[in-house]
Amino acid sequence: MPNIKSAIKRVKTNEAKKAHNITVKSAMRTAVKKAEAAIVTNEDTAKELFNTAASKLDKAAQKGLVHKKAAARKKSRLMKRMNAAQ
């Protein structure tokens, strides 16, 4: 633990940001998994779940949690699976 006041504050803010980033990234992964499962089972909610997953991917990319091209690639692959299933 640092002794300097500003460094102590920095450690606290970094921990808070890390906790927030973990929750956002986890929600993104969950949304993608739900969308994939719905696409495989041909559920009616697949389109809605895809939209939420795409939104979460875009937001994670915007925040810098996932690279923007990685997010685009995941969205593209999800869309490809959805179109093939229909």
Side-chain angles (χ1 to χ4, degrees), residues 12-82:
K12 285 183 182 179
T13 57
N14 285 343
E15 287 174 356
K17 285 182 183 181
K18 182 180 177 184
H20 181 261
N21 288 342
I22 287 170
T23 59
V24 171
K25 205 166 186 181
S26 176
M28 177 200 68
R29 287 188 191 123
T30 303
V32 170
K33 285 180 185 176
K34 282 184 181 178
E36 287 174 344
I39 290 167
V40 169
T41 59
N42 288 328
E43 289 183 25
D44 297 332
T45 60
K47 181 69 175 166
E48 294 170 22
L49 290 171
F50 169 78
N51 288 338
T52 58
S55 174
K56 298 230 181 214
L57 280 164
D58 286 337
K59 286 181 182 175
Q62 189 179 12
K63 304 281 184 199
L65 298 175
V66 177
H67 194 274
K68 66 178 186 176
K69 290 190 177 183
R73 182 176 64 243
K74 288 181 184 192
K75 284 186 350 187
S76 174
R77 288 178 181 172
L78 263 177
M79 181 60 91
K80 190 188 275 187
R81 284 189 204 137
M82 195 167 71

